Amino acid sequence: MAFTVERIRAEVADLLGEDPAGIPLDEDLADWGLDSVRLMSLAERWRAEGADVAFVRLAERPEVGAWAALLGATA
């Protein structure tokens, strides 16, 4: 499955119990309650789908927009 900004936003929102439309592209997701355990689960899920992304890279900039760039997501 291809990565899109909306897909990343939706997966993050699901983990946080938020509305995807309310998840900003450029805010630190830790401020929204994304902890290391949830972040690790995202990294593992995405690697299982073939993404070349490590937990550390996601943790460096925990923002939807930054992750979209790392994953080569389309709009």
Side-chain angles (χ1 to χ4, degrees), residues 21-52:
I23 301 292
L25 296 179
D26 59 353
E27 285 187 26
D28 187 331
L29 294 169
D31 294 340
W32 285 72
L34 185 69
D35 58 25
S36 61
V37 173
R38 290 180 180 134
L39 182 55
M40 192 172 296
S41 73
L42 278 176
E44 289 174 8
R45 180 183 323 165
W46 293 341
R47 274 197 309 272
E49 293 183 34
D52 183 21

Side-chain angles (χ1 to χ4, degrees), residues 43-67:
E44 289 174 8
R45 180 183 323 165
W46 293 341
R47 274 197 309 272
E49 293 183 34
D52 183 21
V53 66
F55 168 81
V56 163
R57 294 293 309 271
L58 296 175
E60 287 174 347
R61 283 193 58 207
E63 302 167 0
V64 171
W67 294 352

